[in-house]
Amino acid sequence: MASVGAVTRILLGKNVLNTSRVAALSNTGLVKFYSAAPSYENIKTKVVGSKKNVGLIQLYRPKALNALCKPLFQELGQAVKAFDADDSISAIIITGNEKAFAAGADIKEMQNNSYSTNQKAGFLQEWEDVSNCGKPIIAAVNGFALGGGCELAMLCDIIYAGEKAKFGQPEINIGTIPGAGGTQRLPRYVGKSKAMEIVLTGNFIDAHEAEKMGLVSRVFPVDKLLEETIKLAERIGTHSPLIVKMAKQAVNQAYETNLKAGLQYEKSIFYGTFATADRKEGMTAFIEKRPPNFKNE
Ligand SMILES: C=C(C)C(=O)SCCNC(=O)CCNC(=O)[C@H](O)C(C)(C)COP(=O)(O)OP(=O)(O)OC[C@H]1O[C@@H](n2cnc3c(N)ncnc32)[C@H](O)[C@@H]1OP(=O)(O)O
């Protein structure tokens, strides 16, 4: 889903806005469409920000508190890949609604799963589509981020929260354990003791506790969360997309390896920036006392 001729800004999904609102925005040039936008049922997507360079994905199963059923995750994966492939998009935001970011994997969908069906189908494997994205993904979390909802937020690169957000891994309450990274990513965010407490009790933690623990970077009033998250994405979007991608790869390596190997990896990526035109442009612009004009090269 890369740029399509002149129609390079996207609004994917049929539920985003009603037809007259869409027509009005379209006339102003604020929103433009791909001619063949996929028709999503469980998410809404649009392009936001003053430069129209931020891809916004809203999880949209409000009646089920955005429970993460397989069709939702397939659509989410498609939308993330589409924004990742679109050169006009600098960063991606995943959000829900005021009541729920997501209340977890869909319990009704998995109720009758068995060990063998899970194995054969690779249950929850499609979730890795989000973590494979090269561009930064920011989770904007209002309301419940529970179980798979908390795990989805942790698959993102930065978590911003509204002050009424509630995080938790309550799988223990329903006789199972986190299955989409909760037992592995949560300790890396908050340390072993707090992660054990959260996983073994199933208790929820509020946004301010989550911020204190390092799970969340910042907390905002509920109605300011999206605006502030878009500002963060726009700030990231002022930099070279190529170098942002390299920086993301380098930070992520800290979760994959030991310090010595990680430092070596960082050095090779750092040296690699010197093979890019944007590194040259950034330093030249600094010396010439002008803003850089990055080309993503
Ligand atoms: C990766 C793995 C294994 C997992 O994520 S396992 C799931 C982990 N998540 C959970 O256990 C949370 C389950 N949900 C809850 O505990 C409660 O819904 C909350 C979040 C505390 C909210 O409670 P309430 O405000 O009372 O809303 P509640 O009436 O329960 O939910 C509203 C609707 O959403 C549905 N819903 C909520 N969470 C759901 C989930 N994870 N899967 C399927 N449906 C869900 C719920 O069944 C109800 O539907 P219906 O009206 O058809 O009965």
Side-chain angles (χ1 to χ4, degrees), residues 128-143:
E128 293 308 313
D129 284 347
V130 176
S131 52
N132 289 337
C133 178
K135 288 179 185 168
I137 307 184
I138 309 159
V141 176
N142 266 324

Side-chain angles (χ1 to χ4, degrees), residues 13-278:
K14 66 182 182 188
N15 294 318
V16 178
L17 297 164
N18 67 42
T19 320
S20 54
R21 176 94 179 108
V22 165
L25 282 173
S26 201
N27 289 339
T28 65
L30 285 174
V31 170
K32 292 180 183 168
F33 300 87
Y34 280 125
S35 45
S39 179
Y40 294 128
E41 299 286 337
N42 300 287
I43 62 170
K44 296 174 176 184
T45 67
K46 61 179 163 175
V47 171
V48 296
S50 57
K51 292 190 180 155
K52 295 283 169 283
N53 64 347
V54 178
L56 176 65
I57 301 173
Q58 183 187 14
L59 310 177
Y60 192 71
R61 286 188 80 205
K63 287 188 185 147
L65 303 185
N66 292 332
L68 300 163
C69 60
K70 187 175 174 101
L72 185 153
F73 239 94
Q74 286 169 332
E75 291 178 7
L76 180 60
Q78 279 175 41
V80 166
K81 279 187 193 161
F83 282 138
D84 200 22
D86 185 333
D87 280 347
S88 70
I89 297 298
S90 301
I92 300 165
I93 296 172
I94 300 178
T95 195
N97 57 51
E98 286 194 7
K99 171 126 200 210
F101 177 72
D106 192 317
I107 299 168
K108 292 169 188 166
E109 188 184 62
M110 73 178 125
Q111 183 191 6
N112 296 316
N113 282 15
S114 66
Y115 175 74
S116 67
T117 59
N118 288 344
Q119 276 289 0
K120 287 180 205 158
F123 183 46
L124 304 184
Q125 258 170 21
E126 61 276 9
W127 291 40
E128 293 308 313
D129 284 347
V130 176
S131 52
N132 289 337
C133 178
K135 288 179 185 168
I137 307 184
I138 309 159
V141 176
N142 266 324
F144 295 113
L146 303 177
C150 187
E151 291 167 308
L152 171 59
M154 290 190 289
L155 281 177
C156 299
D157 301 302
I158 300 172
I159 307 176
Y160 271 11
E163 58 198 353
K164 295 206 175 127
K166 292 218 178 314
F167 295 83
Q169 297 288 165
E171 289 89 345
I172 201 96
N173 295 331
I174 55 166
T176 186
I177 71 164
T183 66
Q184 303 305 302
R185 290 198 175 92
L186 191 60
R188 286 166 160 87
Y189 276 93
V190 304
K192 178 177 169 183
S193 179
K194 285 187 179 3
M196 279 289 188
E197 193 181 334
I198 291 165
V199 169
L200 300 186
T201 62
N203 290 347
F204 301 166
I205 54 169
D206 68 30
H208 292 291
E209 283 176 277
E211 185 186 24
K212 258 192 269 164
M213 289 179 188
L215 177 60
V216 159
S217 334
R218 286 177 196 236
V219 177
F220 297 98
V222 170
D223 59 347
K224 291 274 176 263
L225 173 67
L226 193 54
E227 190 184 319
E228 293 294 335
T229 311
I230 292 170
K231 274 192 215 162
L232 170 69
E234 288 182 307
R235 172 74 182 127
I236 293 168
T238 62
H239 304 307
S240 159
L242 182 59
I243 305 298
V244 165
K245 192 171 182 175
M246 293 165 89
K248 171 172 166 166
Q249 280 169 3
V251 174
N252 274 338
Q253 198 62 20
Y255 289 88
E256 305 293 342
T257 192
N258 63 42
L259 182 61
K260 193 166 182 194
L263 289 170
Q264 268 168 3
Y265 184 84
E266 180 193 73
K267 271 292 180 292
S268 66
I269 297 273
F270 170 65
Y271 291 167
T273 64
F274 284 73
T276 69
D278 283 350

